[in-house]
Amino acid sequence: MNTVLRANGLTKRYGRRTALDDCTLEVPAGHVVGLVGPNGAGKSTLLNLAVGMLAPTSGTIEVLGGAPASGPEQLAKVGYVAQDTPTYAGMTVGEHLRLGAALNPGWDDDLARARVERLGLPLDQRARKLSGGQRAQLALTLGIAKRPQLLILDEPVASLDPLARREFLQDLMEAVAEHELSVILSSHLVSDLERTCDYLVVLVGSRVRLAGDMDDIVGSHVRLSGPRDLGHPGELVSARHTDVQSTMVVRYDGPIADPAWTVGKLSLEDIVLAYMERPTAAEPRALEAVR
């Protein structure tokens, strides 16, 4: 299977509010996919649709070749860690593992207990007594031990301190390498995605603005500075103007040969922020040859 998630015209509305709008997207298998965008962009909505917690208003979504949550076999293929890495406050670590075993036919109890032991999580400790990082690791253990093909993580480290966040992401990458997982990781922290992901999806205003291999994205975007009325090459992403000069972020494959432009490199965070801005031009101009 070449894709773990395929959406076509996927839309979710709540009354007059559109949470996800006409989303068409293919997420490749065998990748750690970063899903990024501002608050309210539709990230959690897309992931909740992917795990079957929501139903589309229109359009279609397919996960691992089937409809989300369409039956026990489909449910077993997907692991999910929701926002705030939810655990049951009154249950012990051991009780969480026994619940995971009862609910998941493919549960790997040896894996779960080995992870808990390595992380130093006492089996008799109640979740309310665990630190934020420990609760996040427990939730990740529950997601991995069901042996899914796809692990979906919805901002699992947003509330963690920098050290706990780094440890969680390092542990995630080790699990990906060991168990050959496909992962979709939602976050608004671009630096975390840059360290862990090799594919990126940018959601802005309930729409997919960008999707592709991380290296290709960084390599195909540049910052251009030059005379305001000089026609730009490629696809305009964002622009700022003074009376005489324009500074633009454009997507363009190939060298910029016109000496009137000053060309600068961009970090991944620069590119993501540019897509979050509203372009000052009404629409991106058509591709123009640069001589």
Side-chain angles (χ1 to χ4, degrees):
M1 182 177 298
N2 294 325
T3 62
V4 294
L5 185 152
R6 180 181 287 111
N8 185 20
L10 185 64
T11 299
K12 180 62 180 179
R13 297 190 183 92
Y14 298 95
R16 296 182 179 180
R17 184 175 73 86
T18 300
L20 195 66
D21 189 18
D22 194 26
C23 173
T24 297
L25 176 68
E26 289 194 5
V27 174
H31 289 269
V32 180
V33 179
L35 178 62
V36 65
N39 292 336
K43 302 188 298 297
S44 293
T45 298
L46 175 59
L47 298 185
N48 285 331
L49 288 162
V51 298
M53 294 179 66
L54 294 175
T57 302
S58 60
T60 61
I61 182 169
E62 181 182 279
V63 176
L64 297 168
S70 55
E73 184 178 351
Q74 181 69 22
L75 286 168
K77 294 178 181 179
V78 182
Y80 178 53
V81 178
Q83 282 189 14
D84 302 320
T85 55
T87 53
Y88 296 99
M91 289 176 55
T92 66
V93 171
E95 287 169 340
H96 278 87
L97 300 191
R98 289 193 289 275
L99 179 63
L103 295 177
N104 298 288
W107 181 260
D108 189 333
D109 201 57
D110 290 339
L111 169 63
R113 291 183 181 275
R115 278 184 53 82
V116 163
E117 182 178 356
R118 178 172 62 80
L119 294 165
L121 302 181
L123 291 174
D124 60 353
Q125 185 80 283
R126 298 194 184 278
R128 71 164 63 94
K129 298 293 187 178
L130 299 176
S131 69
Q134 289 174 322
R135 288 194 300 273
Q137 289 286 11
L138 176 58
L140 179 61
T141 297
L142 297 174
I144 292 172
K146 71 178 292 187
R147 288 290 194 176
Q149 297 176 37
L150 171 64
L151 183 61
I152 294 177
L153 305 166
D154 189 2
E155 300 204 28
V157 297
S159 61
L160 302 186
D161 63 66
L163 179 59
R165 192 166 70 240
R166 185 180 67 179
E167 290 174 345
F168 179 93
L169 293 173
Q170 287 176 341
D171 208 54
L172 172 63
M173 295 311 296
E174 290 173 4
V176 167
E178 182 178 355
H179 305 295
E180 299 182 348
L181 289 168
S182 295
V183 176
I184 301 176
L185 171 63
S186 167
S187 178
H188 62 274
L189 300 170
V190 178
S191 59
D192 287 344
L193 299 181
E194 194 166 18
R195 286 197 299 267
T196 57
C197 301
D198 56 9
Y199 195 93
L200 189 71
V201 177
V202 179
L203 274 177
V204 180
S206 305
R207 288 178 173 267
V208 176
R209 292 290 309 277
L210 178 68
D213 180 88
M214 198 88 80
D215 290 338
D216 291 343
I217 287 173
V218 173
S220 62
H221 288 79
V222 294
R223 178 182 286 112
L224 300 180
S225 299
R228 175 163 182 161
D229 294 328
L230 184 65
H232 65 79
E235 176 187 345
L236 178 65
V237 178
S238 68
R240 297 180 183 276
H241 305 287
T242 66
D243 290 341
V244 297
Q245 181 169 315
S246 294
T247 300
M248 306 179 186
V249 172
V250 299
R251 187 175 190 178
Y252 185 71
D253 292 318
I256 307 295
D258 191 332
W261 287 114
T262 299
V263 182
K265 293 183 178 181
L266 295 166
S267 68
L268 182 67
E269 186 168 18
D270 291 332
I271 295 167
V272 170
L273 291 174
Y275 275 92
M276 291 184 186
E277 295 177 357
R278 177 180 294 179
T280 55
E283 293 290 341
R285 302 180 192 178
L287 180 66
E288 300 177 30
V290 178
R291 299 180 176 84

